[in-house]
Amino acid sequence: RQRQMCIRDSIGFDVVHEFASEKNRWMRCVLRNNFKVGTLFNDIFCRGDAHLPDVDLYTAGPPCLPRRALPNGLQPFSVACLNDGCTDSLGIVFVRVLQVIDKKRPAAFLIENRVGMKTHHSAFYKFVIKFLQTLKGPGGSKTYKVRARVMNTKVCGGLPQSRPRVYIVGWKRKKEVADFEWPEALRCASLRSVVNIGETGDISALSSASKTTKANLTLALQSWLADPVLVAKADKVCCAQFVSKV
């Protein structure tokens, strides 16, 4: 999905998109109108994995795992739950992702999820890592090398947003040509560079923003105003007007 453009910009060459699954019809419209997408499935549960094309890189960002158990005692993300016929979209999608990797064996994969996967669902997190690490080829040898790390967009993405996420990366051992390295820290962009609040502090462009967006921006700007070092680097008048008007 959006990762297609990000990968292209990061590594310098175009990526041929083969397939994706998106249940929201409006998001499917966004994808088709902004990216060169291949086959776009409406539902990952109604997709025949055996007929999916082979890919070099498989990326997935399953819905964030829930903090609840089902009435029958099964966790929404467990294999037992899938076998029991459960289709809780917040967790079972993750199991479907593992099934695709097992079935198609891409050269490499990248999975992203909320940091709560590691902190609130540690048993499942360990299960995922072990499952991927122990996938074996016809000869009985392990297929993938797997690495996982929690990274924050404000550190590794260069964006003024604190968004810690778990990233699980795997690649075929036979295709490894160099040691894997996690991305280095990037200089965080200023909030003003990504939010249009005008040269004179006009916040009319944000009038339709959600309450959560306004609250997050207000807290960020209040922190700036309280820090002399940050204030020296920012437009103090613009920030003060924003905080007072939101």
Side-chain angles (χ1 to χ4, degrees):
R1 304 189 330 212
Q2 289 90 339
R3 295 177 183 83
Q4 177 185 359
M5 180 179 66
C6 297
I7 293 173
R8 179 193 64 201
D9 295 342
S10 299
I11 60 183
F13 58 83
D14 288 333
V15 175
V16 178
H17 181 271
E18 292 290 348
F19 65 89
S21 294
E22 177 53 62
K23 198 169 185 178
N24 187 298
R25 62 173 179 150
W26 300 115
M27 281 305 303
R28 291 198 297 272
C29 291
V30 171
L31 293 173
R32 290 192 178 100
N33 290 331
N34 291 277
F35 302 97
K36 294 181 180 180
V37 297
T39 303
L40 196 55
F41 296 94
N42 296 350
D43 194 334
I44 194 172
F45 296 109
C46 302
R47 193 180 69 189
D49 294 345
H51 302 291
L52 294 176
D54 294 330
V55 295
D56 295 314
L57 175 63
Y58 176 69
T59 64
C64 296
L65 299 176
R67 298 185 185 182
R68 68 184 187 279
L70 298 177
N72 59 4
L74 294 172
Q75 289 294 327
F77 46 76
S78 68
V79 176
C81 180
L82 184 64
N83 294 335
D84 194 49
C86 171
T87 55
D88 185 290
S89 61
L90 293 178
I92 287 297
V93 173
F94 212 119
V95 178
R96 291 288 290 115
V97 167
L98 298 181
Q99 289 178 327
V100 173
I101 295 175
D102 184 20
K103 184 72 176 180
K104 303 305 298 183
R105 300 297 174 100
F109 57 80
L110 169 62
I111 305 173
E112 169 266 343
N113 204 268
R114 190 177 62 182
V115 70
M117 175 189 178
K118 186 175 182 179
T119 57
H120 294 97
H121 299 293
S122 59
F124 179 64
Y125 173 75
K126 293 177 182 177
F127 162 77
V128 170
I129 300 299
K130 184 176 180 180
F131 176 88
L132 296 170
Q133 287 178 332
T134 55
L135 286 176
K136 296 181 180 180
S141 59
K142 293 182 179 180
T143 303
Y144 294 107
K145 282 190 176 181
V146 180
R147 301 289 184 271
R149 175 176 289 190
V150 174
M151 296 191 296
N152 197 315
T153 55
K154 69 178 182 180
V155 177
C156 299
L159 299 176
Q161 178 191 30
S162 180
R163 192 177 179 84
R165 289 293 184 269
V166 173
Y167 293 90
I168 303 173
V169 182
W171 61 94
K172 284 187 174 179
R173 295 171 180 268
K174 293 182 178 180
K175 292 184 176 293
E176 185 178 45
V177 296
D179 293 335
F180 174 78
E181 295 182 5
W182 290 100
E184 297 179 355
L186 297 175
R187 183 176 181 180
C188 188
S190 66
L191 186 62
R192 184 165 187 151
S193 69
V194 296
V195 177
N196 181 18
I197 53 179
E199 293 298 325
T200 60
D202 180 14
I203 64 169
S204 59
L206 295 176
S207 60
S208 61
S210 67
K211 292 182 179 180
T212 300
T213 299
K214 291 179 179 179
N216 289 339
L217 291 174
T218 300
L219 288 175
L221 291 173
Q222 286 175 336
S223 297
W224 280 10
L225 294 174
D227 190 321
V229 176
L230 294 178
V231 168
K233 298 179 180 180
D235 185 336
K236 184 175 181 179
V237 175
C238 180
C239 292
Q241 289 182 359
F242 178 86
V243 171
S244 64
K245 293 181 181 180
V246 169

